[in-house]
Amino acid sequence: MGTIILGTGAYLPERVLTNQELEKIVDTSDEWIRTRTGISTRHIGGKGDETYQLAAKAAANALQMAGLSAVDIDLIIVATISSHMLMPSCACFVQKELGAGKAFAFDINAACSGFVYALDMADKYILADPGKKILVIGTETLSSRTNWEDRNTCVIFGDGAGAVVLGHGEGEGGIIGANLFSDGNLWALLHMHTAPSCNPELLQAASPGVHIVMEGREVFKYAVKAMEEAILKLLEQEQIPLDAIKLIIPHQANIRILNKLAERLGVSAEKIFINVQKYGNTSAASIPIALDEANRASRLEPGDIVLLCSFGGGFTWGAVLIRW
Ligand code: UT7
């Protein structure tokens, strides 16, 4: 009994950018990108692929699976760092796009951990009011926030959206628990500025531009350790052994991070869901896209325990356990 996933959905823009195309943009190679990240392609938005539009399409797919319509939704939480406007929220644009007139809507920013944070928040809303139906969406157009001259970052990111519809269930399934963490002291290792300040007193001398800046190697080390700790703490908190987990669906940042995570946990590589090769790092969208893919591929049966885990700018990280 608890918060259950009634439907999942995803949407990727049509345009696919290959490593070979990136070779023409920056000093890189298909070989380097594949061996250092595992990524072969990523989807890049075009006209009609604003962050909220990807989100609305993913949400429509999730609603269809849930057998609900937009007017049934009470709350829309969108996790994103790449909305086309700072105000109104991306979630308000999604509400308008879907015609979800009954819902209130807001965004959260926890970078790549945004979906996991939003899921935990939505779980608490439903525990307080089991009648609520909630859309939780992770959506990004990171192509609009990428420095296309920086080979350290531009080969990694992609665009896309994933969504879940949540409600209350009386059966065995549902969200079991979550564990979330942040460390603002480490902000500089992975960050993105807003537009330069209009207040001269607050204007930074050298504006680094509105794009993602990352100390990749440092982030890599923290990511592996933090996700491992979050998983082990959550399993201990919920008194569930690691071998009871059917599938771990982690944030898709780099295949080497995921292989290292499997190695440190001592689980077989098949237990870790990986699709980073197709979509690159889609930040807040990566977990719900992967969850939808696993669900539609029938990798999850009723009763299976699935574990989501994330790591991102902030730093933010965490894990969520769900009984399917
Ligand atoms: O989503 C939120 C969390 N984000 C992450 O988890 C990302 C974590 N970090 C990573 O995935 C990896 O650190 C990267 C993929 C970003 C970089 O891989 P790396 O193996 O850590 O490479 P590095 O940054 O240590 O760079 C090694 C070399 C450098 O050259 P020198 O200094 O050794 O001559 C880089 O300049 O690779 C060079 N390099 C590249 N070469 C070809 C960096 N990017 C590229 C590139 N193509 N695209």
Side-chain angles (χ1 to χ4, degrees), residues 9-168:
Y11 182 78
L12 281 305
E14 267 174 37
R15 161 112 166 85
V16 173
L17 180 68
T18 64
N19 291 348
Q20 288 76 11
E21 288 173 274
L22 279 165
E23 287 175 353
K24 295 178 192 143
I25 300 174
V26 284
D27 179 16
T28 190
S29 67
D30 171 51
E31 205 261 333
W32 191 96
I33 302 171
R34 273 189 298 102
T35 52
R36 304 309 293 170
T37 71
I39 302 165
S40 293
T41 55
R42 69 289 290 144
H43 290 242
I44 300 290
K47 277 204 175 12
D49 289 327
E50 289 289 7
T51 311
Y52 74 91
Q53 291 169 314
L54 303 184
K57 286 178 180 156
N61 289 335
L63 283 167
Q64 191 183 37
M65 187 187 284
L68 294 174
S69 63
V71 292
D72 298 318
I73 296 299
D74 300 286
L75 165 60
I76 301 170
I77 308 178
V78 171
T80 187
I81 52 165
S82 54
S83 189
H84 72 303
M85 284 194 195
L86 266 181
M87 190 266 292
S89 67
C90 185
C92 282
F93 280 100
V94 173
Q95 185 225 26
K96 168 179 132 0
E97 192 82 352
L98 290 173
K102 191 171 83 175
F104 68 106
F106 60 87
D107 291 356
I108 70 155
N109 174 349
C112 304
S113 301
F115 180 77
V116 159
Y117 273 48
L119 198 59
D120 180 54
M121 195 187 295
D123 178 33
K124 270 130 200 175
Y125 270 105
I126 288 174
L127 290 179
D129 179 0
K132 276 199 164 33
K133 299 280 183 294
I134 303 182
L135 257 173
V136 176
I137 307 170
T139 182
E140 305 285 8
T141 48
L142 295 179
S143 60
S144 64
R145 299 283 176 265
T146 296
N147 177 358
W148 289 98
E149 293 175 356
D150 176 14
R151 69 175 183 174
N152 291 293
T153 52
C154 78
V155 303
I156 297 167
F157 299 113
D159 301 344
V164 295
V165 182
L166 300 175
H168 178 79

Side-chain angles (χ1 to χ4, degrees), residues 160 204 219 226:
Q204 297 188 18
V219 176

Side-chain angles (χ1 to χ4, degrees), residues 266-289:
V267 302
S268 69
E270 297 81 67
K271 247 196 190 175
I272 307 230
F273 190 86
I274 294 176
N275 64 7
V276 70
Q277 68 281 5
K278 294 189 285 187
Y279 309 130
N281 179 344
T282 58
S283 190
S286 92
I287 291 177
I289 291 171

Side-chain angles (χ1 to χ4, degrees), residues 169-183:
E170 293 291 340
E172 291 283 296
I175 294 180
I176 298 167
N179 231 333
L180 306 177
F181 307 87
S182 307
D183 187 351

